[in-house]
């Protein structure tokens, strides 16, 4: 159990660092979506199913959609 | 191993808070800064839920008869985080609409080139 | 220069946070108020899900403030983006027949699942906020799959206002006849773990589900370009 949680947290931190270094904003948004998804799995392990559902449906799905619409209306690449 | 068992969730939450603050402070692109705010918010939520955890506990739902209330995890941080997530998406949408307006007005998202936003 | 300065500032901030918080123990009960809610919540509210009873009964006033923040953010987003709307219809490319039919087939099923999540909010994990988000994601599917179809703005605003109105009116009725605080339970509690239990909690969660769903769908509708 503790090994699974450790691996998930390492993967989450790697995704956050990927969101930091990607120049393509859509890739960065997908990496941030990955952070939210792994956080929702961790919420489930911490016995918080309500928060896990909210994070998976709002934090991982709707926030990503809103970011991608905004990037489509502005510029895709960071210079 | 016991150190890892005690502190692994806190390490994850502090790592997310650190990376989020770093993105907010260092990056010049406005949408990147908003991504940093989103990551910071996830870290704070993870920390609050981890504070309410009880070892060998169950979720705070009386789904079967015969579940002991003393073994349930703390419901107050969960209610707090539930409201915080929903407010977070509204604030993010508001911030992104302001970013779209700034892009239409100045033609750029770079904070070094927008005069009123420079720091 | 700025990067080095930022890193130094961050290290100072995180050192302070870790110094003040590393003594918080992991995995033992900490708050008295949580114990009270767990021990008494089942009898006092009649809801099986204690998180729901905290959100809607013990801290219902807090939830009202949260719904207000959501409402104000949606209004502000509409106001900021209102002047960017293009006049006249833009030509949109129709999606292929398979995509169109698949989206039209999936749309009512996703709506049904969202309704299930918020109607059973007092029994299982889930509730108005999660169900509303699922309903909004159904509208996202329609926007992406069936190009050119929009939601009716008047009916979405009406649904949203009705949801907020039901919340406030039931809270005020509870204040008047049920007890001495906002959103006190004035309906019969019923039997634990059945659908018709917990008094006003399912009604409030249904209202919040409609309100959050139409509000988030309206936010996404405002953000889309062609209008």
């Amino acid at each position: 159990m503790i090994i699974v949680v450790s691996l998930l947290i390492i993967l989450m931190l790697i995704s956050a660092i990927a969101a930091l270094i990607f120049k393509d904003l859509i890739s960065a948004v997908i990496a941030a979506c990955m952070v939210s998804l792994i956080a929702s799995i961790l919420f489930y392990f911490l016995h918080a199913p309500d928060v896990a559902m909210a994070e998976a449906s709002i934090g991982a799905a709707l926030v990503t959609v809103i970011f991608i619409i905004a990037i489509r209306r502005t510029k895709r690449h960071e210079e | 191993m016991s150190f890892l068992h005690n502190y692994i969730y806190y390490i994850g939450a502090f790592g997310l808070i650190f990376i989020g603050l770093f993105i907010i402070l260092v990056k010049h692109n406005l949408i990147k800064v908003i991504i940093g705010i989103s990551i910071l918010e996830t870290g704070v939520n993870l920390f609050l839920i981890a504070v309410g955890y009880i070892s060998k506990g169950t979720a705070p739902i009386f789904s079967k008869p015969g579940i002991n209330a003393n073994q349930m995890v703390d419901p107050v941080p969960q209610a707090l985080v539930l409201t915080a997530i929903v407010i977070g998406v509204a604030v993010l949408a508001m911030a992104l609409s302001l970013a779209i307006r700034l892009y239409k007005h100045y033609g750029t998202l770079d904070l070094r080139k927008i005069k009123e936003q420079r720091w | 220069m700025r990067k080095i300065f930022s890193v130094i500032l961050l290290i100072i901030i995180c050192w302070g946070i870790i110094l003040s918080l590393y003594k918080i123990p992991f995995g033992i009960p900490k708050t008295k108020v949580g114990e009270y809610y767990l021990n008494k919540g089942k009898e006092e509210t009649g809801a099986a899900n204690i998180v729901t009873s905290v959100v809607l009964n013990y801290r219902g006033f807090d939830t009202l403030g949260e719904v207000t923040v959501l409402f104000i953010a949606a209004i502000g987003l509409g106001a900021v983006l209102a002047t960017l709307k293009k006049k006249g219809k833009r030509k949109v490319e129709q999606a292929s027949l398979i995509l169109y039919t698949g989206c039209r087939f999936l749309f009512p099923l996703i709506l049904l699942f969202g309704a299930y999540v918020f109607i059973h909010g007092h029994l299982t994990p889930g509730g108005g906020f999660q169900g509303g988000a699922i309903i909004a994601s159904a509208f996202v599917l329609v926007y992406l799959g069936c190009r050119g179809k929009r939601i009716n703005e008047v009916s979405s605003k009406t649904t949203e206002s009705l949801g907020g109105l039901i919340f406030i009116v039931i809270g005020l009725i509870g204040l008047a006849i049920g007890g001495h605080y906002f959103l006190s339970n004035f309906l019969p509690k019923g039997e634990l773990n059945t659908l018709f239990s917990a008094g006003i909690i399912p009604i409030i969660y249904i209202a919040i589900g409609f309100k959050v769903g139409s509000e988030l769908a309206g936010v996404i509708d405002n953000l889309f370009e062609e209008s």
Side-chain angles (χ1 to χ4, degrees):
Chain A
M1 188 64 191
I2 187 75
I3 295 170
V4 177
V5 169
S6 310
L7 285 178
L8 281 175
I9 283 178
I10 290 168
L11 195 60
M12 185 171 78
L13 293 180
I14 289 173
S15 305
I17 293 171
L20 166 68
I21 59 178
F22 278 149
K23 290 286 176 199
D24 187 351
L25 284 174
I26 288 190
S27 309
V29 167
I30 299 298
C33 164
M34 184 94 177
V35 172
S36 278
L37 210 58
I38 296 173
S40 99
I41 299 172
L42 291 176
F43 288 148
Y44 180 72
F45 283 154
L46 288 168
H47 298 299
D50 285 280
V51 184
M53 275 183 83
E55 181 76 35
S57 66
I58 296 175
L62 275 180
V63 169
T64 312
V65 169
I66 291 172
F67 266 118
I68 288 177
I69 294 168
I71 291 170
R72 206 179 118 222
R73 294 186 68 165
T74 56
K75 210 159 43 171
R76 180 167 171 175
H77 289 280
E78 172 193 17
E79 70 271 0
Chain B
M1 208 61 181
S2 92
F3 171 81
L4 206 62
H5 186 264
N6 280 333
Y7 285 105
I8 183 70
Y9 286 104
Y10 293 168
I11 291 170
F14 280 128
L16 285 188
I17 293 172
F18 190 85
I19 294 169
L21 274 176
F22 187 74
I23 294 176
I24 294 172
L25 283 174
V26 168
K27 286 290 171 178
H28 301 294
N29 189 293
L30 199 51
I31 289 186
K32 213 55 176 286
V33 171
I34 301 173
I35 292 174
I37 294 174
S38 149
I39 289 177
L40 175 62
E41 190 195 316
T42 309
V44 174
N45 290 343
L46 187 58
F47 176 72
L48 278 176
I49 293 287
V51 166
Y53 180 71
I54 291 174
S55 337
K56 301 191 177 60
T58 56
I61 299 171
F62 291 96
S63 49
K64 288 187 285 260
I67 290 181
N68 192 0
N70 292 325
Q71 277 301 309
M72 288 179 173
V73 300
D74 201 344
V76 180
Q78 298 193 11
L80 208 74
V81 169
L82 192 62
T83 55
I85 289 174
V86 182
I87 290 180
V89 65
V91 172
L92 278 184
M94 183 76 207
L96 282 171
S97 74
L98 287 175
I100 293 171
R101 263 319 273 272
L102 278 173
Y103 181 76
K104 288 284 188 291
H105 194 268
Y106 290 99
T108 178
L109 280 175
D110 199 329
L111 287 175
R112 287 166 298 187
K113 290 177 189 154
I114 299 175
K115 216 162 100 193
E116 285 84 1
Q117 300 272 322
R118 187 189 291 151
W119 80 282
Chain C
M1 186 59 213
R2 192 168 147 224
K3 228 173 223 181
I4 299 167
F5 182 68
S6 305
V7 169
I8 293 172
L9 189 67
L10 266 182
I11 288 173
I12 292 171
I13 291 173
C14 284
W15 189 60
I17 295 176
I18 290 171
L19 262 193
S20 55
L21 293 183
Y22 83 106
K23 276 183 184 159
I24 295 179
F26 182 73
I28 61 166
K30 291 170 204 73
T31 60
K32 289 274 187 295
V33 62
E35 279 176 32
Y36 177 84
Y37 290 156
L38 286 174
N39 288 322
K40 299 279 177 62
K42 201 167 57 166
E43 289 83 27
E44 281 182 1
T45 65
N49 190 345
I50 300 294
V51 177
T52 300
S53 62
V54 173
V55 168
L56 285 187
N57 210 299
Y58 293 112
R59 291 173 182 266
F61 201 63
D62 196 11
T63 309
L64 180 66
E66 183 215 350
V67 169
T68 313
V69 169
L70 199 60
F71 179 68
I72 291 173
I75 296 276
L77 188 142
V80 168
L81 292 180
T83 53
L84 291 181
K85 270 191 181 167
K86 289 204 179 73
K87 296 276 167 19
K89 263 201 163 165
R90 242 176 78 167
K91 232 177 81 179
V92 285
E93 199 179 331
Q94 278 299 326
S96 72
L97 184 67
I98 296 173
L99 190 60
Y100 188 76
T101 315
C103 287
R104 288 191 53 176
F105 174 69
L106 277 177
F107 176 65
L109 293 181
I110 299 176
L111 284 189
L112 188 67
F113 179 61
Y116 170 80
V117 167
F118 66 69
I119 288 172
H120 288 76
H122 57 301
L123 303 176
T124 54
F129 299 110
Q130 294 95 327
I134 292 169
I135 286 178
S137 66
F139 284 105
V140 172
L141 179 73
V142 168
Y143 280 140
L144 295 178
C146 321
R147 308 289 299 273
K149 278 206 187 307
R150 319 292 299 190
I151 57 170
N152 187 354
E153 224 165 87
V154 176
S155 59
S156 111
K157 287 277 181 292
T158 314
T159 314
E160 187 187 323
S161 317
L162 270 180
L165 206 63
I166 289 172
F167 190 168
I168 293 175
V169 164
I170 288 181
L172 288 180
I173 291 174
L175 185 63
I177 65 172
H180 43 271
Y181 57 96
F182 190 73
L183 273 179
S184 54
N185 216 335
F186 59 91
L187 289 176
K189 306 249 167 44
E191 196 184 336
L192 189 72
N193 262 328
T194 51
L195 185 56
F196 293 101
S197 67
I200 60 170
I201 288 179
I203 304 171
I204 303 271
Y205 244 176
I206 289 170
I208 289 180
F210 278 113
K211 185 170 164 56
V212 171
S214 53
E215 221 153 36
L216 290 178
V219 163
I220 287 167
D221 179 61
N222 275 328
L223 276 170
F224 259 90
E225 200 168 5
E226 320 90 2
S227 55

